[in-house]
């Protein structure tokens, strides 16, 4: 299992969250088997999400998807994301 973490600012959390929720079925079809959303304490527009995948290849494919980047742009992602991949130790 690979866990992908992504942190990025958004223009408006409510708008971003609606787009995130609307993208759920597509996300699952792209290999996401689990996910969670967090807001930084003190800044609700600073978002961290994690997504679980069966393999690193699936996680890399997801992150390279033009559709994902299209949805992120439409959702109001307001800066370059910080991205890291992990596995349980």
């Amino acid at each position: 299992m690979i866990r992908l973490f992504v942190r990025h600012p958004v223009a408006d959390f409510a708008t971003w969250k609606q787009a995130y929720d609307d993208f759920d079925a597509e996300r699952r079809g792209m290999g996401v088997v689990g996910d969670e959303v967090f807001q930084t304490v003190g800044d609700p527009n600073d978002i961290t999400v994690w997504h679980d995948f069966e393999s690193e290849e699936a996680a890399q494919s997801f992150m390279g998807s033009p559709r994902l980047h299209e949805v992120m742009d439409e959702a109001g992602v307001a800066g370059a994301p910080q991205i890291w991949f992990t596995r349980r130790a």
Side-chain angles (χ1 to χ4, degrees):
M1 183 73 59
I2 297 297
R3 181 161 286 175
L4 162 69
F5 287 89
V6 179
R7 181 180 181 193
H8 54 68
V10 297
D12 175 74
F13 177 76
T15 300
W16 176 87
K17 184 66 164 76
Q18 184 64 56
Y20 183 85
D21 291 345
D22 290 347
F23 188 55
D24 186 59
E26 283 186 76
R27 220 176 20 253
R28 304 261 173 228
M30 298 166 85
V32 175
V33 297
D35 63 283
E36 192 70 46
V37 173
F38 300 87
Q39 294 172 293
T40 300
V41 173
D43 184 355
N45 292 320
D46 184 352
I47 306 302
T48 300
V49 298
W50 60 254
H51 296 98
D52 284 342
F53 297 86
E54 294 295 329
S55 69
E56 183 179 352
E57 293 77 20
Q60 293 283 358
S61 178
F62 176 77
M63 285 309 301
S65 165
R67 176 67 178 139
L68 171 64
H69 293 279
E70 176 186 328
V71 170
M72 289 174 66
D73 289 342
E74 292 171 358
V77 172
Q82 297 173 358
I83 301 166
W84 63 104
F85 300 86
T86 65
R87 75 178 82 239
R88 188 168 301 219

